[in-house]
Amino acid sequence: MGIVSPGFQGRRRPAEPNLPPGQYLTEDFPVLSAGPTPRVSLTDWEFVLSTETGAESRWSWDEMWALPTETPTVDIHCVTHWSKLGTNWRGVSVDTLLDGVDTAADYALVHSYGGYTTNLPLDDLRDGQAWIVHQYDGADLPAEHGGPARLLVPHLYFWKSAKWVRGIRLGLTDEPGFWETAGYHDYGDPWREQRYQGD
Amino acid sequence: MTEQLHPEQPRMDYVDGNMLAGPLQEVFAVDLTTATGRCASCGQTGPVAALRVYSNAPGVVARCPSCTEVMLRLVRTPDSAWLDLRGSTFLQIPMPAESFTTPGPVAM
Ligand SMILES: [Zn+2]
């Protein structure tokens, strides 16, 4: 068709101010996966935070969820162009895990059960910007979406929100992760459309 | 708390390596799915077509059918292709029998 009368708004969506450039809105929750879904029993699950000195803090499943939790409602943006607005999660703020951890690190490498890794500046995990979440929409996080627990860093492209999260390694140097060593942007800000290296 | 929270049926979340024909043919002049690759992790050797390919992802990830480690990754950006083969020790690519003309003795 292609003919639009002046002033006719039709079924065109109102401009969505919460949608970064190059993204479209989705109502479902696409499952992206670079490998088999790891199966981790909750008795074996643990989360390890290590610093540049090798010092480690560990939480078992029960210890993690004995910590105070928050219920962030956030927009998420996948580098494959879909965005989902107003998603509801429950988890522990990474600030809570970092509380009392002595570190001079500027960088974090997040690692997962199954071997996935992703890197980001430590500052992007602080100040209420990141959580370890174990519930989505009021229910246990399904394995295909990263359960039993995943990282949630909604202000960066969603590949930074590592599924099946196992730990965070803090370091003095930036160590690129799984997609960051294969052409994807080191930082991944959806509002600056930092999809690929050089963007 | 000992129960498995997410008992799920095993699900086919990958396709076989024949899927790589298109993406790799874009980069190479030959069909690499008939090549034989060796897994750098476990040493399993077999056809690229037998790899387990996860393509519902920001890139294409091909894993060893024996140990599931990554053998090949391919990311297509608007202006380049990023190929990572560090998980493969080698790719043995079938080629037509070599037919080259032996250079003759150099005339002095
Ligand atoms: Zn292998």
Side-chain angles (χ1 to χ4, degrees):
Chain A
M1 183 178 117
I3 299 163
V4 180
S5 320
F8 175 68
Q9 291 302 311
R11 285 180 301 181
R12 218 176 125 210
R13 278 181 182 282
E16 178 50 78
N18 297 319
L19 219 44
Q23 297 294 106
Y24 68 85
L25 213 49
T26 184
E27 298 300 330
D28 58 3
F29 197 163
V31 174
L32 273 73
S33 189
T37 298
R39 307 286 160 177
V40 192
S41 83
L42 301 185
T43 42
D44 296 335
W45 187 92
E46 67 169 356
F47 185 89
V48 184
L49 178 65
S50 61
T51 73
E52 71 278 11
T53 65
E56 289 184 343
S57 314
R58 289 171 183 268
W59 292 267
S60 70
W61 185 259
D62 289 345
E63 287 166 346
M64 178 65 77
W65 307 114
L67 297 172
T69 56
E70 300 176 0
T71 53
T73 296
V74 296
D75 303 339
I76 55 178
H77 311 291
C78 180
V79 72
T80 60
H81 298 277
W82 57 264
S83 289
K84 195 169 168 58
L85 305 184
T87 59
N88 299 300
W89 307 82
R90 178 181 289 275
V92 170
S93 169
V94 176
D95 291 314
T96 303
L97 305 178
L98 288 169
D99 191 31
V101 171
D102 184 28
T103 180
D106 288 324
Y107 301 99
L109 183 69
V110 183
H111 52 102
S112 297
Y113 290 98
Y116 182 75
T117 55
T118 187
N119 59 302
L120 63 173
L122 177 53
D123 279 349
D124 287 83
L125 292 173
R126 294 190 188 276
D127 304 323
Q129 296 186 93
W131 299 265
I132 306 296
V133 294
H134 69 314
Q135 287 185 8
Y136 171 73
D137 248 356
D140 292 333
L141 183 61
E144 70 263 28
H145 287 304
R150 75 180 298 161
L151 179 67
L152 177 66
V153 201
H155 71 287
L156 300 178
Y157 280 125
F158 211 43
W159 89 75
K160 300 282 185 180
S161 294
K163 293 178 175 187
W164 314 300
V165 70
R166 180 177 200 166
I168 300 174
R169 201 156 65 229
L170 306 181
L172 301 175
T173 54
D174 189 19
E175 187 183 336
F178 187 85
W179 291 119
E180 295 86 356
T181 52
Y184 279 92
H185 199 275
D186 198 59
Y187 185 63
D189 179 354
W191 295 97
R192 286 184 279 169
E193 218 173 345
Q194 294 172 333
R195 297 179 199 276
Y196 306 108
Q197 286 184 31
D199 283 350
Chain B
M1 206 189 289
T2 54
E3 83 280 8
Q4 280 277 153
L5 268 187
H6 314 292
E8 280 169 20
Q9 299 303 316
R11 203 164 45 91
M12 271 290 254
D13 48 6
Y14 58 87
V15 295
D16 72 47
N18 286 299
M19 180 274 169
L20 293 171
L24 284 175
Q25 197 125 36
E26 200 193 2
V27 184
F28 296 98
V30 293
D31 177 5
L32 281 180
T33 59
T34 59
T36 298
R38 183 180 196 272
C39 174
S41 178
C42 76
Q44 165 101 351
T45 299
V48 169
L51 301 183
R52 297 179 177 184
V53 179
Y54 295 80
S55 54
N56 201 5
V60 171
V61 179
R63 291 175 177 268
C64 170
S66 174
C67 73
T68 77
E69 285 295 319
V70 177
M71 285 181 62
L72 177 155
R73 299 188 300 163
L74 181 60
V75 167
R76 186 70 166 85
T77 75
D79 58 6
S80 46
W82 293 69
L83 178 64
D84 173 7
L85 281 168
R86 77 192 128 142
S88 302
T89 311
F90 61 71
L91 282 183
Q92 180 195 0
I93 304 155
M95 299 293 278
E98 200 170 24
S99 60
F100 58 92
T101 46
T102 313
V106 180
M108 293 295 287

